[in-house]
Amino acid sequence: MKIAVVGTGYVGLVSGACFAEVGNRVACVDIDQKKIDRLKKGDIPIYEPGLEDMVLRCHKRGDLEFTTDLSLAMENSEVVFIAVGTPMGDDGSADLSYVLGVASQIGQTMTKEVIVVDKSTVPVGTADRVHEAVQKELDKRGVAIPFQVVSNPEFLKEGNAVRDFMSPDRVVIGSDSQEALKKIHALYGSFSFNHDRVISMDVRSAEMTKYAANCMLATKISFINEIANICELVGADANKVRLGIGSDSRIGYSFIYPGAGYGGSCFPKDVNALIKTARDYGYTGRILESVEAVNRDQKKLIPAKVVKRFGEDLTGMIFAVWGLTFKPNTDDMREAPSITLIKELTSRGATVQAYDPEGREQSEGFYLKDVPRLSYYESKYDALKGAEAMILLTEWKEFRSPDFFEMGKLLKNKVIIDGRNQYDGETMKAEGWEYSFVGEPGER
């Protein structure tokens, strides 16, 4: 099938590459000429395991092309995916200007029947607005070209996006057109040989499914973090409590790991967007508001542990930070707990020595660009030299079993403040480490 994908961010580039991988002819479109030039040269602007090899392979054989010309991409395309950003506005709502802008361009350039697919995460009712935007431009042109709008939300996990797309646990398709449903269903047939993973429904239910899924996962994270905070007060160990409740099949272990709070491009934005949608319809999403409030406060927990241990004034002190990205296997720094921590420590006079396998470029170039007394290291051990403590904020695999003997020699104090609960507290303390983690038993 011939496909156009508008937007070459995480969702657009992964979707385009994976569709091309199974033999579809895909044209990825972006207004950023520099990004398109980089992609044509094989320079992938984002870090996602497996993506670079796939893009290079598909581009080499001619199944994946890159262009800034939407009209050229649509010339022979049967399906056009909208996969542009929907950043959070000041009021918490999703900014649809990019989505609707693309919809208008589609209406301005389409010359034959096409299926328009919303792949971006968008509020309920967006498909109707996309339809209106396309139709408005067709009316201006005085032409009558049939088209359908489909909702096909993505459920990709950053760091595992390629695998998620190639072997999805479900594919949600929303449309009022049986013809469109059949076409998109067929497009995804290559990804579900073992059993049909496609779930068809109406457009608004598909749009709501995406928000409900992300908000449910965010709720589990904030719930276990609140339990961990209570554990610290009553003298319980949150890691042991997690094992106790996770063994219940109704609860499970997924997303109940205590930590420094969630971040990324999805959970913070989607929780706030659904809160705003509920308000627009006269409803207060009390659970959702609490989920967001708990997460906002959770990002302050690790800085508070540092201050409790080392005092209010951190002038002249050095702290090593392992992990900048909001999760492992990505270079994404959006809403990362490290941003809150590093800004707080440096505002108190501290110097921060940071290491992350993939996050330096994003941190140094944008998110922590103007932060004073922040330096970056190419080795996790080099970042430890002379530091008062090591603070762990991202659960990269290389942090799971480090050389603790070497760490003890490099650090000024044998102190670890663990924002992802990676190590066994009893073992660490038995080996002479002062070890603090999220949900540790406090003094009653």
Side-chain angles (χ1 to χ4, degrees):
M1 196 177 295
K2 294 182 178 179
I3 302 166
V5 179
V6 185
T8 58
Y10 279 96
V11 176
L13 191 55
V14 170
S15 299
C18 290
F19 280 132
E21 176 74 358
V22 297
N24 295 290
R25 301 298 298 273
V26 181
C28 283
V29 185
D30 202 290
I31 60 172
D32 187 339
Q33 184 66 60
K34 290 183 179 179
K35 182 185 285 190
I36 292 298
D37 290 341
R38 287 181 63 183
L39 288 167
K40 286 181 177 179
K41 294 175 182 177
D43 183 6
I44 311 305
I46 58 176
Y47 175 74
E48 185 65 42
L51 180 61
E52 182 175 359
D53 290 343
M54 184 179 286
V55 169
L56 294 176
R57 181 169 59 247
C58 294
H59 183 56
K60 182 178 181 179
R61 70 173 188 238
D63 286 332
L64 183 61
E65 298 294 338
F66 303 102
T67 181
T68 58
D69 190 340
L70 178 60
S71 60
L72 180 65
M74 288 186 60
E75 276 184 1
N76 299 307
S77 295
E78 304 163 67
V79 181
V80 181
F81 284 85
I82 300 177
V84 294
T86 54
M88 184 168 61
D90 293 337
D91 61 353
S93 63
D95 182 352
L96 297 178
S97 59
Y98 300 114
V99 170
L100 297 178
V102 172
S104 295
Q105 291 175 38
I106 291 172
Q108 293 163 9
T109 57
M110 62 188 291
T111 57
K112 63 181 182 60
E113 184 173 0
V114 71
I115 297 174
V116 180
V117 182
D118 281 337
K119 196 71 174 168
S120 302
T121 301
V122 294
V124 176
T126 299
D128 293 338
R129 297 181 64 182
V130 168
H131 193 284
E132 292 171 3
V134 175
Q135 189 61 56
K136 182 179 179 181
E137 297 301 325
L138 292 176
D139 292 342
K140 286 181 181 179
R141 293 167 57 192
V143 296
I145 304 174
F147 70 97
Q148 295 84 37
V149 177
V150 172
S151 175
N152 173 221
E154 55 85 14
F155 297 97
L156 307 177
K157 300 184 292 291
E158 288 189 42
N160 204 48
V162 171
R163 185 180 300 176
D164 287 345
F165 201 103
M166 298 301 291
S167 301
D169 48 18
R170 84 284 211 191
V171 176
V172 173
I173 305 172
S175 178
D176 299 323
S177 165
Q178 289 302 311
E179 178 185 350
L181 286 172
K182 185 177 179 180
K183 188 90 168 182
I184 304 303
H185 194 155
L187 178 60
Y188 279 101
S190 300
F191 305 100
S192 54
F193 281 125
N194 294 332
H195 65 273
D196 193 355
R197 303 172 191 271
V198 175
I199 304 171
S200 300
M201 58 185 72
D202 62 278
V203 173
R204 289 185 171 236
S205 294
E207 291 171 332
M208 186 63 178
T209 296
K210 169 64 176 180
Y211 278 103
N214 277 354
C215 289
M216 180 69 239
L217 297 175
T219 298
K220 292 186 74 174
I221 294 171
S222 280
F223 172 79
I224 196 62
N225 281 336
E226 185 149 278
I227 292 298
N229 295 338
I230 296 172
C231 283
E232 292 202 10
L233 297 174
V234 302
D237 186 325
N239 292 326
K240 295 176 181 177
V241 173
R242 179 185 68 81
L243 293 173
I245 65 175
S247 58
D248 187 327
S249 61
R250 297 170 301 174
I251 299 172
Y253 293 105
S254 297
F255 288 86
I256 59 165
Y257 291 85
Y262 59 76
S265 63
C266 294
F267 290 1
K269 176 171 68 71
D270 293 354
V271 170
N272 280 286
L274 193 52
I275 290 171
K276 178 61 167 56
T277 295
R279 287 175 183 164
D280 290 344
Y281 283 84
Y283 182 81
T284 300
R286 289 170 291 177
I287 291 177
L288 297 177
E289 289 181 348
S290 295
V291 167
E292 172 60 19
V294 168
N295 191 62
R296 188 168 53 246
D297 289 343
Q298 197 69 14
K299 292 180 181 179
K300 303 173 186 176
L301 177 67
I302 301 304
K305 285 180 176 288
V306 175
V307 170
K308 182 179 179 180
R309 170 61 177 80
F310 293 97
E312 296 281 346
D313 185 0
L314 304 178
T315 301
M317 297 185 189
I318 300 171
F319 294 93
V321 173
W322 280 10
L324 296 169
T325 57
F326 85 96
K327 63 182 289 188
N329 299 321
T330 181
D331 60 353
D332 197 344
M333 285 278 297
R334 284 174 286 188
E335 303 286 338
S338 62
I339 298 173
T340 302
L341 171 77
I342 291 172
K343 287 184 176 180
E344 179 65 23
L345 296 189
T346 54
S347 73
R348 293 176 177 272
T351 294
V352 174
Q353 300 177 170
Y355 169 75
D356 188 285
E358 297 294 337
R360 176 172 179 170
E361 183 177 347
Q362 292 279 331
S363 177
E364 194 172 27
F366 185 73
Y367 292 97
L368 295 170
K369 182 179 180 180
D370 298 319
V371 173
R373 297 181 305 284
L374 170 60
S375 54
Y376 301 88
Y377 290 79
E378 296 300 320
S379 160
K380 59 180 178 288
Y381 296 114
D382 286 344
L384 299 175
K385 294 176 181 177
E388 302 284 346
M390 185 274 276
I391 305 168
L392 192 151
L393 286 180
T394 313
E395 59 275 32
W396 287 94
K397 287 182 180 179
E398 68 172 277
F399 299 158
R400 290 181 183 177
S401 185
D403 185 339
F404 288 108
F405 180 75
E406 180 68 16
M407 291 173 65
K409 292 193 298 181
L410 294 170
L411 287 166
K412 188 175 180 180
N413 308 294
K414 290 182 67 175
V415 177
I416 294 176
I417 299 176
D418 189 350
R420 294 300 177 190
N421 292 20
Q422 291 293 285
Y423 311 126
D424 180 73
E426 294 178 359
T427 301
M428 295 298 293
K429 291 175 181 178
E431 294 181 356
W433 285 89
E434 185 179 331
Y435 179 68
S436 177
F437 59 94
V438 180
E440 61 185 318
E443 296 181 1
R444 285 171 289 175

